Amino acid sequence: MKRIRFATGAAGQPAGRPVRTLLATAATGLLVAALAACSGGGAGESGGSAVQDGAAPRSEVVSPDGAQDVTDAAAGAVGLGEPRQEAVDRELVTTGTATLAVDDPFDAAEEIARLVEDAGGRVEARDERAPTDDETGSASMTLRIPADRVSATLDALDALGEVRDRHVETVDVTGTAQDLDARIQALRTSTDRLRELMAEADRTADLIEIESELSTRQAELDSAVSERNRLSDEVAMSTLHVEIVAEGTPAAQARPDGFLGGLSAGWSALVSTFNVVVLILGAVIPWLALGGLVLLVVVGIRRQVARSRRPGATPPVAEPEPAAAE
C-alpha cells in the first residue's frame, strides 16, 4: 500500500525552513547596512568637524614656562635672534665739574691730590695761582678717577669745603665702541689675508702692490686701535675738573639764578673784558711811544733834506767870461 506524504503538517516543516532562514539573513543584512550607514554619517560629520577644528587654533592650557618656550622657538625660527639673549654691557663716559670754596686753596689741592691717589686715580693737570694785592690765591685741577668712584669722590670733597656748581654728565658710547671693534676685526682679517697673499706672490709687481695695500690697511688698523684704547680709557677713568677758590671771593659766593644771575654774569664778563683791554694797552703803549719817536726822527730828516734841495739854497753857478777881441 502506497504512503502519501502531504506538504502540510509535520512533514511540511522542513520544506519552509530555508525560506525563513533566507528572510532572517536578509533582515539581518539590512539592519547591519542601516547601522553601518548611520555610523558612516556620524564619522563623516565628526571628520568634518575635526577638519573645521583643525583650521582654528586649538584651545589648550599652556603653562608660563611652556608659553615662553614656544615664544623662544618661534623667535629662533624666524631669525629674530637668540632666545633670552643677555643685555649688552653699556659703555659710559662720565665727565664732571665742581667749584670748591675753602680757606686755603693750596692745602685743599694737596688734600684732593691725596684723595684721588687713594681712589686709584691720578691728577692729570694742576694749576695754582698765588695770592696778590688784588686777588686771593686759587687753584684748578683736572682729575682722572675710576668711573665707579666719581660719586664717592664728590662726596669726599664736601669734607674739605663747600662744593658749588657741581655738574656731572654721562654719555653712552656703546655704539661707537661696537663700530670700532667691528672695524678693528675687519682690518685684522684683511691684513692677515694680505700677508698670506704676499707670501704667495711670485711677481715683483704683485708683491709691490700687495705691500702698498698692506701698509695702508696696517695704518688704518693702528689708528682704530689707538682710538679704541682712548675710548676705553675714557670709559674706565672719568674726568673731573675742580676749581678751588678762597672763601669770601666773588667766585666762592653762590651765584643767583634768573635775571640777577644773568646780570651778575654779564657784569663779570664786562669787568673781565675791560681788564683784558687795559692789559693789552699797557703792553702796546711802550711800543707806540718808541714808534712815535722813530717817526719824529724820520720826519725831521725828510724836512731837512727837502729844505736843502730848494732853488734859493743852491749856490750860484759861475758863468764863463767872454773871450777878449783881437
Side-chain angles (χ1 to χ4, degrees), residues 224-296:
V225 170
S226 176
E227 186 176 357
R228 184 65 175 92
N229 293 335
R230 179 187 59 80
L231 186 62
S232 298
D233 181 69
E234 291 181 356
V235 171
M237 303 290 289
S238 301
T239 303
L240 181 62
H241 301 279
V242 180
E243 188 72 21
I244 309 171
V245 296
E247 287 284 359
T249 59
Q253 301 298 327
R255 298 180 181 178
D257 298 329
F259 175 77
L260 295 178
L263 183 62
S264 176
W267 176 257
S268 299
L270 178 62
V271 172
S272 299
T273 303
F274 180 76
N275 291 335
V276 172
V277 171
V278 171
L279 179 63
I280 294 175
L281 288 177
V284 171
I285 285 176
W287 294 97
L288 291 177
L290 179 60
L293 181 61
V294 172
L295 180 62
L296 289 177

Side-chain angles (χ1 to χ4, degrees), residues 16 23 26 45 59 74 113 128 131 144 157 162 169 188 208 226 251-252 281 305 314 321:
L23 290 176
E45 292 177 358
S59 176
E128 297 179 354
R144 300 298 305 276
L157 293 179
E162 186 176 0
E169 182 180 4
R188 283 176 176 170
I208 294 175
S226 176
L281 288 177
V305 171
T314 56
E321 296 180 358

Side-chain angles (χ1 to χ4, degrees), residues 149-309:
R149 301 297 301 273
V150 174
S151 299
T153 302
L154 289 175
D155 294 339
L157 293 179
D158 292 330
L160 302 178
E162 186 176 0
V163 178
R164 303 180 185 275
D165 302 328
R166 179 186 301 179
H167 176 72
V168 178
E169 182 180 4
T170 301
V171 179
D172 190 346
V173 296
T174 306
T176 303
Q178 291 177 347
D179 292 341
L180 284 173
D181 291 339
R183 182 183 176 190
I184 290 172
Q185 183 62 33
L187 288 172
R188 283 176 176 170
T189 303
S190 179
T191 53
D192 292 341
R193 180 55 181 164
L194 287 173
R195 289 189 179 94
E196 293 177 359
L197 293 176
M198 180 182 295
E200 297 174 357
D202 54 358
R203 295 192 308 173
T204 305
D206 295 341
L207 184 61
I208 294 175
E209 184 177 358
I210 295 173
E211 185 176 1
S212 176
E213 186 65 23
L214 179 60
S215 299
T216 303
R217 298 291 177 86
Q218 186 65 42
E220 295 177 359
L221 176 59
D222 294 341
S223 177
V225 170
S226 176
E227 186 176 357
R228 184 65 175 92
N229 293 335
R230 179 187 59 80
L231 186 62
S232 298
D233 181 69
E234 291 181 356
V235 171
M237 303 290 289
S238 301
T239 303
L240 181 62
H241 301 279
V242 180
E243 188 72 21
I244 309 171
V245 296
E247 287 284 359
T249 59
Q253 301 298 327
R255 298 180 181 178
D257 298 329
F259 175 77
L260 295 178
L263 183 62
S264 176
W267 176 257
S268 299
L270 178 62
V271 172
S272 299
T273 303
F274 180 76
N275 291 335
V276 172
V277 171
V278 171
L279 179 63
I280 294 175
L281 288 177
V284 171
I285 285 176
W287 294 97
L288 291 177
L290 179 60
L293 181 61
V294 172
L295 180 62
L296 289 177
V297 173
V298 172
V299 170
I301 293 175
R302 291 187 61 183
R303 287 181 178 179
Q304 186 66 27
V305 171
R307 189 177 301 138
S308 62
R309 290 181 178 179

